[in-house]
Structure formats: C-alpha cells, structure tokens
Amino acid sequence: MNDYIQRAQVIEQRQVVDAWQRIESWLHQHAPATLAKLRPGASEAEIAALQQTLGVRLPEGLKALWRQHSGFLPDPLASFMLGQGALMDFDAVLSVYRQKMLLQRREDELNRQRGGGDEFTMWRAAWIPFCSFGVDCLSGLCLDVESGRLWYWSEYAERTVRFESLTAYLEEMADVLEVPSLATDDKPGLVNGVLVWGPPRNAAERALWEPISE
C-alpha cells in the first residue's frame, strides 16, 4: 500500500468518526432514547469475519462506522438515519447481500440463455448494504467500495446514486441535526424522546411529533 492510499484511508476514517461523533453528541443531548438503542461497536475480529464472508475488501470509512455501532436494536422507530434509514446489523447486511447477489447470478444465467447482449445490473459484488428503509430491508443504501458512492436500492431494482460518499452522507445528517433549517426534505423531530424525521406520515406519530427548533 503506497503512502497516498494509506493517507487517504486515514483521512476517510477520521472524517467518518468526526461526523458520527457530531451525530452522537446531538443524540446524547436531544434523543438519548435513540442512542440507547444503538448496538455496541463491532470488534476487529467481527469486521474481519464479515469481510471474509462477503469476499469483498471493506472500505475504511464503513469499518470506522461499524466500530462506533454495528446496527440498531429491534424497534419500531429504528429509522433514525437521514432519509429515514435504519443502520443494519451484520446479519441483515449478509442476508441482503447474499439475496441480491443470488438474484444477479440468476439474471446473468437468463441472459446467457437468451444469447447475451441484454445485461441488466441488479447488484454488484462491490455494493455493500448498510442502511435499510424499513425493518423488512426491501430498500436502502449501499456503499460502492470501488467508487465510494452511496447508492439507493429497492426490491424493484431501482438504483440511483444518492451521495458521493459515506462521509458526505454522515456530514449532511450532522449538519441538518445541528441546523434543522438546512433540511431539504424531512426535518428532525422527537416522538417520546426518540429521533423521528418528519412530519411523520402515520397519524398517531404525527400527533406526538415535536419538530426540533434552532
């Protein structure tokens, strides 16, 4: 590994940790109930085991995030990440990755049977899911380990780039929490002390939702 790559990895780790510490500081002050539901950070052995099982070299930024917290405990209000996403635990990461790669292999086989020429990318080996929109994991965000970009994915094979990097995603979340007027979509608020982006669509949650003021 040359000095340039090593330096870039160190910077990436620091940026992710710095952004997450801003998020966690905000949660500690405003939404401790959300903070209490975060899983402990993953150990180096757990991260190494996940990397080996996936067969993909994990980027330093994603490993840095998982060292902070490796998912969220089961809870109806787990979707506290920007965009109403829930941090996936390692079991969910593996389950979604394997399912998507299986679908891609089936698509590749069908394409070969058709004589080729109509390749359709449902999933790439370089895409690592880490954030789901809903407990059923039918859509979410994945990190492209080759480009560093965050892609949105869904069960309907929708694929779009949402953020240029994990750092950009976490920094935007931290910015919006600290200055809610920066939000271009959902705004941060609380439901019984839990961070909920809204206003919520559910009427019962909407009645309890308290937007965060600057």
Side-chain angles (χ1 to χ4, degrees):
M1 182 186 301
N2 63 43
D3 291 342
Y4 175 80
I5 295 176
Q6 188 171 20
R7 182 172 180 273
Q9 290 179 345
V10 170
I11 292 172
E12 180 186 15
Q13 291 181 63
R14 188 189 71 239
Q15 289 174 332
V16 166
V17 171
D18 287 350
W20 185 260
Q21 287 179 344
R22 290 171 60 197
I23 292 168
E24 191 155 321
S25 176
W26 188 95
L27 292 174
H28 180 76
Q29 181 177 355
H30 298 279
T34 294
L35 190 59
K37 287 288 186 177
L38 282 162
R39 293 180 182 273
S43 67
E44 295 300 325
E46 290 171 328
I47 293 173
L50 176 64
Q51 179 171 263
Q52 183 175 12
T53 303
L54 291 170
V56 178
R57 185 176 180 83
L58 296 171
E60 294 304 317
L62 188 55
K63 290 194 286 188
L65 174 62
W66 282 336
R67 290 187 191 105
Q68 303 298 308
H69 296 283
S70 58
F72 201 84
L73 297 172
D75 190 279
L77 299 177
S79 301
F80 77 98
M81 297 293 287
L82 182 66
Q84 302 191 41
L87 280 179
M88 298 163 64
D89 61 32
F90 283 6
D91 287 342
V93 170
L94 281 172
S95 177
V96 169
Y97 186 82
R98 286 169 168 166
Q99 179 190 49
K100 299 302 183 184
M101 288 299 293
L102 177 60
L103 290 174
Q104 184 62 58
R105 287 194 292 271
R106 288 175 178 172
E107 175 61 28
D108 291 343
E109 179 59 30
L110 288 173
N111 186 51
R112 282 193 291 270
Q113 293 174 9
R114 293 191 294 261
D118 295 317
E119 292 185 7
F120 179 71
T121 301
M122 301 185 69
W123 201 262
R124 295 174 180 164
W127 289 353
I128 308 300
F130 73 96
C131 190
S132 67
F133 298 145
V135 295
D136 46 14
C137 294
L138 297 179
S139 63
L141 294 175
C142 64
L143 175 58
D144 185 339
V145 303
E146 294 175 348
S147 68
R149 290 177 168 179
L150 298 191
W151 287 72
Y152 167 79
W153 53 269
S154 79
E155 62 176 324
Y156 304 110
E158 296 173 82
R159 305 289 183 265
T160 55
V161 174
R162 286 289 177 88
F163 295 90
E164 287 300 310
S165 68
L166 178 61
T167 297
Y169 175 62
L170 296 177
E171 286 181 344
E172 182 170 330
M173 179 175 174
D175 288 344
V176 172
L177 288 175
E178 293 168 355
V179 187
S181 61
L182 294 175
T184 57
D185 196 357
D186 294 328
K187 298 183 180 297
L190 301 175
V191 173
N192 296 328
V194 174
L195 172 59
V196 175
W197 298 85
R201 295 175 180 81
N202 178 280
E205 285 186 13
R206 190 164 59 248
L208 297 172
W209 188 70
E210 303 173 12
I212 298 294
S213 58
E214 295 180 25

